[in-house]
């Protein structure tokens, strides 16, 4: 019996010591960094006794090349605190300004325990002068403010990216930022993730007041306005995106029912991204939709014949009088599937004759086994092509770190296998390149062979508008094609459109002269009807003379008959001509 008492007593003593230690841990030791999440218990206890309206969470912003916001906007907003139901206040005067009946305002306040925030979504449309009038009334608990709100229709979601809460990742990435709440939003994808360290909030701007356990004012009806006085933060990331063009591009893809694929539009002179759209649309509940396919390697099909053509020109295999038997398939066999007769290199490019390019590839490989990948590099195709360089303590900062590198050969032994060479020559086998890389190749050709890094961000700006950092344009390292080769390629790409039987003849009626190359790549997949699925491309630039834009459109995993690639390219050219007055 005595032994049992000792055992039970010891158990209770241990339990008591554990509880006491736990209380000490909570109240004395880890009051400001409780659990792995780093919960600030002092702050949380204060939060339980306050009600607040966050006007601005303090995270940095994104804007387009013209200074238009891409993610948030400052919206005129009416804020009503619930203690108004306990006091007498001139509700009729407020009703007259906001054009909402006094009875409705009273009813809204009566039915809420939290601060009430009313904006245009709630039918309360206010102007800047309305806000002045509201605040001039000096009613306790009534405020007219500009509140940062998400733009109703987000654009460039794959490019800009998304944010979310993850306390463990936050503490791991920023161990020195103990001032950050475990609820702080951090970048998960896109530019939000890339520039996350710059975008982290310094402090929130908010309205708050203290309440008791029943939600009644604890220290009277005084509402505090807490604002960040730092003139430098939050910062703004100024992108190269043109908001109007980005919206137009997204609309065109939707109108043409391209639900799997996307496009990249570059300014040829600066090599900056004006628009980038990836499909399917981003859905937070589906991780597969988070991928930006415009920076992922895809089978290019006949678009890759541009590389073989460039190599042929550089190695002197572009005899204008030489003809190729385009009744033969890519392996030089007469299987009855082709009926194009004898064609020159130029017309073979326009009509996309496979046999011409497999023949040239075989001849080129005899001269130099590395010729295909070397030429692809000269054209700025393989990547990475997005801006990278030194910025502050980053030695190799990448604007698009999710960009993957393209590939030509899956196995070096394939360089000695004719059938592998033939399939590679037409952009199949193991050839995969990114749409961004293809757009950069087209811009390189249009510029006469000068290859540059692709920019998506121009500047990092302080809150007061001064410059923190500028991303200057940079050339891509390595060899490049000659100006002679570029000029010959320009003629080939123009012939694709002007030839009566060219694969791009649809663009003969475009409002701007188009030069480009089509591509159809087998993916090895089938749909539920057993039909083969393809990647359908059209890549080019316009106007053909004094080119301004390089555009790549790709639809992935589509049947050839259903592809909307050419229709999207045509509409983009048409609408850009209209927007820019031709």
């Amino acid at each position: 019996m005595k032994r049992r008492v000792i055992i039970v007593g010891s158990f209770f003593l241990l339990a008591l010591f554990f509880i006491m230690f736990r209380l000490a841990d909570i109240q004395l030791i880890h009051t400001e960094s409780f659990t792995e999440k780093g919960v600030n218990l002092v702050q949380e206890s204060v939060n339980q006794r306050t009600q607040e309206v966050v006007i601005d969470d303090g995270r940095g912003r994104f804007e387009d090349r013209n200074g238009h916001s891409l993610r948030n906007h400052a919206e005129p907003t009416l804020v009503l605190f619930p203690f108004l139901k306990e006091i007498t206040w001139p509700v009729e005067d407020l009703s007259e300004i906001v054009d909402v009946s006094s009875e409705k305002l009273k009813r809204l306040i009566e039915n809420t325990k939290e601060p009430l925030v009313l904006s245009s979504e709630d039918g309360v449309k206010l102007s800047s002068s309305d806000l002045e009038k509201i605040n001039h009334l000096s009613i306790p608990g009534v405020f007219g403010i500009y509140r940062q709100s998400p733009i109703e229709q987000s654009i460039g979601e794959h490019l800009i990216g998304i944010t979310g809460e993850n306390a463990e990742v936050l503490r791991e990435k920023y161990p020195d930022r103990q001032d950050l709440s475990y609820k702080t939003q951090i970048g998960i994808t896109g530019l939000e993730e890339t520039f996350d360290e710059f975008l982290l909030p310094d402090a929130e701007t908010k309205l708050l007041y203290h309440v008791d356990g029943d939600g009644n004012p604890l220290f009277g009806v005084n509402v505090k306005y807490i604002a960040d006085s730092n003139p430098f933060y939050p910062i703004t990331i100024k992108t190269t995106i043109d908001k109007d063009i980005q919206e137009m591009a997204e609309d065109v893809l939707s109108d043409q029912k391209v639900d799997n694929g996307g496009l990249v539009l570059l300014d040829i002179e600066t090599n900056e991204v004006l628009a980038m759209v990836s499909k399917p649309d981003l859905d937070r509940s589906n991780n597969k939709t988070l991928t930006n396919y415009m920076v992922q390697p895809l089978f290019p099909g006949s678009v890759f014949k541009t590389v073989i053509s460039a190599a042929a020109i550089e190695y002197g295999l572009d005899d204008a009088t030489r003809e190729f038997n385009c009744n033969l398939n890519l392996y030089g066999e007469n299987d009855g599937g082709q009926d194009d007769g004898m064609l020159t290199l130029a017309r073979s490019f326009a009509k996309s004759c496979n046999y011409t390019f497999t023949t040239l590839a075989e001849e080129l490989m005899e001269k130099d086994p590395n010729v295909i990948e070397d030429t692809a590099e000269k054209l700025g195709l393989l990547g990475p092509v997005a801006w990278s360089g030194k910025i502050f303590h980053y030695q190799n900062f990448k604007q698009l770190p999710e960009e993957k590198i393209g590939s030509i050969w899956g196995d070096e032994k394939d360089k000695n296998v004719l059938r592998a060479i033939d399939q590679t020559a037409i952009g199949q086998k193991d050839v995969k390149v990114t749409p961004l890389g293809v757009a950069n190749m087209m811009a390189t050709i249009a510029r006469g062979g000068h290859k540059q890094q692709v920019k998506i961000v121009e500047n990092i700006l302080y809150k007061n508008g001064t410059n923190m950092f500028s991303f200057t344009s940079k050339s891509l390292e390595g060899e490049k094609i000659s100006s002679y080769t570029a000029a010959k390629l320009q003629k080939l790409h123009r012939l694709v459109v002007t030839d009566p039987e060219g694969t791009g003849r649809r663009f003969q009626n475009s409002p701007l002269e188009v030069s480009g190359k089509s591509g159809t790549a087998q993916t090895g997949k089938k749909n539920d009807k057993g039909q083969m699925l393809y990647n359908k491309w059209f890549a080019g630039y316009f106007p053909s003379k004094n080119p301004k834009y390089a555009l790549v459109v790709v639809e992935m995993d589509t049947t050839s008959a259903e592809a909307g690639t050419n229709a999207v390219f045509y509409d983009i050219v048409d609408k850009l001509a209209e927007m820019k007055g031709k």
Side-chain angles (χ1 to χ4, degrees), residues 173-185:
K173 287 181 67 176
Y174 309 110
D176 298 329
R177 291 294 306 273
Q178 294 301 315
D179 59 305
L180 296 174
S181 164
Y182 69 94
K183 295 181 180 180
T184 299
Q185 296 279 321

Side-chain angles (χ1 to χ4, degrees), residues 49-51 81-87 139-143 208-212 215-224:
R49 301 192 303 274
T50 62
Q51 290 188 352
F81 280 82
F83 62 70
L84 286 166
K85 71 182 74 171
E86 309 294 337
I87 64 175
I139 304 173
V142 177
F143 298 90
L208 65 83
Y209 80 111
H210 298 280
V211 296
D212 60 19
N216 298 317
L218 191 60
F219 305 118
V221 294
N222 292 323
V223 176
K224 292 183 178 179

Side-chain angles (χ1 to χ4, degrees), residues 319-359:
D319 183 350
T321 63
R322 182 183 179 185
E323 293 186 331
F324 301 83
N325 187 356
C326 289
N327 289 331
L328 305 179
N329 66 14
L330 72 158
Y331 304 120
E333 303 166 346
N334 194 343
D335 59 6
Q338 294 74 224
D339 187 25
D340 288 325
M342 303 299 292
L343 298 178
T344 62
L345 170 59
R347 294 212 67 218
S348 294
F349 192 83
K351 296 187 70 173
S352 206
C353 166
N354 286 338
Y355 178 67
T356 299
F357 296 93
T358 59
T359 302

Side-chain angles (χ1 to χ4, degrees), residues 5 22 35 87 109 113 124 168 178 180 197 244 248 255 282 306 308 316 332 335 368 419 441 485 487 513 523 557 563:
V5 171
R22 188 64 169 169
T35 76
I87 64 175
I109 296 169
K113 293 183 178 180
V124 180
E168 287 77 12
Q178 294 301 315
L180 296 174
E197 184 173 347
D244 293 336
M248 176 270 289
D255 292 344
L282 192 147
T306 297
I308 305 302
D335 59 6
D368 180 358
R419 282 187 170 250
M441 177 176 70
T485 299
E513 288 187 350
T523 63
D557 300 332

Side-chain angles (χ1 to χ4, degrees), residues 278-447:
S278 179
K279 295 282 189 173
D281 291 333
L282 192 147
D283 180 356
R284 283 176 174 266
S285 64
N286 184 353
N287 286 338
K288 292 182 179 179
T289 68
L290 300 183
T291 301
N292 183 353
Y293 287 102
M294 298 303 98
V295 292
Q296 300 297 313
L298 307 172
F299 292 114
S302 292
V303 169
F304 194 71
K305 290 172 183 174
T306 297
V307 175
I308 305 302
S309 299
I313 296 168
E314 298 248 298
Y315 276 81
L317 300 180
D318 59 324
D319 183 350
T321 63
R322 182 183 179 185
E323 293 186 331
F324 301 83
N325 187 356
C326 289
N327 289 331
L328 305 179
N329 66 14
L330 72 158
Y331 304 120
E333 303 166 346
N334 194 343
D335 59 6
Q338 294 74 224
D339 187 25
D340 288 325
M342 303 299 292
L343 298 178
T344 62
L345 170 59
R347 294 212 67 218
S348 294
F349 192 83
K351 296 187 70 173
S352 206
C353 166
N354 286 338
Y355 178 67
T356 299
F357 296 93
T358 59
T359 302
L360 289 171
E362 290 176 12
E363 295 174 4
L364 287 164
M365 291 294 287
E366 289 180 3
K367 293 178 177 292
D368 180 358
N370 299 319
V371 62
I372 297 179
E373 59 264 44
D374 286 350
T375 305
E377 288 282 5
K378 288 181 180 180
L379 289 164
L381 172 63
L382 293 184
V385 300
W387 195 98
S388 63
K390 185 178 180 180
I391 164 175
F392 302 124
H393 59 276
Y394 296 99
Q395 294 301 312
N396 189 29
F397 183 86
K398 298 179 179 180
Q399 288 193 355
L400 293 175
E402 67 269 39
E403 178 195 2
K404 297 296 189 295
I405 300 174
S407 62
I408 307 296
W409 304 99
D411 189 334
E412 285 291 309
K413 295 178 181 178
D414 286 343
K415 292 183 177 182
N416 299 311
V417 180
L418 288 182
R419 282 187 170 250
I421 294 172
D422 294 342
Q423 292 169 19
T424 299
I426 62 170
Q428 293 283 179
K429 192 66 171 71
D430 296 308
V431 180
K432 284 190 174 183
V433 295
T434 67
L436 181 65
V438 175
N440 188 57
M441 177 176 70
M442 290 298 164
T444 298
I445 294 169
R447 280 193 301 268

